[in-house]
C-alpha cells in the first residue's frame, strides 16, 4: 500500500475530515492534502507514527472507560 493511501485510511478510520485530523495530529491541513493527493511524499515513518498514535489513544480511551 502506498503512503498516500495509508494516511487517508488512518484519517478516515479516525472518523475525521482533514481539518479535524490536522488539529488532532498537529499536521497542517495543506500538508495532509498534499500527502493524500500524492503531490508530496512524507517520510516513511509518518504513517507508522500516526498509526501508533491512533492505537495508543484508543487504548487509553478504552482503559478510562473501565475505571
Amino acid at each position: 500500500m502506498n503512503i498516500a493511501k495509508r494516511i487517508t485510511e488512518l484519517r478516515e478510520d479516525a472518523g475525521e475530515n482533514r481539518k479535524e485530523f490536522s488539529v488532532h495530529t498537529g499536521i497542517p491541513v495543506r500538508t495532509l492534502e498534499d500527502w493524500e493527493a500524492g503531490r508530496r511524499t512524507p517520510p516513511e515513518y509518518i504513517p507508522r507514527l500516526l498509526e501508533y498514535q491512533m492505537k495508543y489513544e484508543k487504548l487509553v480511551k478504552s482503559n478510562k472507560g473501565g475505571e
Side-chain angles (χ1 to χ4, degrees):
M1 176 183 309
N2 70 32
I3 293 176
K5 186 173 182 179
R6 185 65 190 133
I7 290 172
T8 302
E9 284 184 355
L10 287 167
R11 178 180 58 77
E12 290 173 348
D13 288 347
E16 299 175 338
N17 62 35
R18 285 188 188 105
K19 175 67 176 165
E20 293 165 336
F21 199 66
S22 170
V23 170
H24 184 166
T25 62
I27 299 169
V29 174
R30 175 68 77 168
T31 301
L32 287 171
E33 290 172 347
D34 288 348
W35 287 351
E36 289 185 11
R39 289 186 293 265
R40 292 175 49 202
T41 304
E44 259 181 57
Y45 62 86
I46 293 294
R48 288 193 313 265
L49 283 176
L50 291 173
E51 187 171 354
Y52 176 79
Q53 178 182 354
M54 299 302 139
K55 285 180 180 179
Y56 175 78
E57 290 171 356
K58 191 175 194 177
L59 179 64
V60 168
K61 189 176 182 179
S62 69
N63 284 340
K64 285 187 177 186
E67 290 180 0

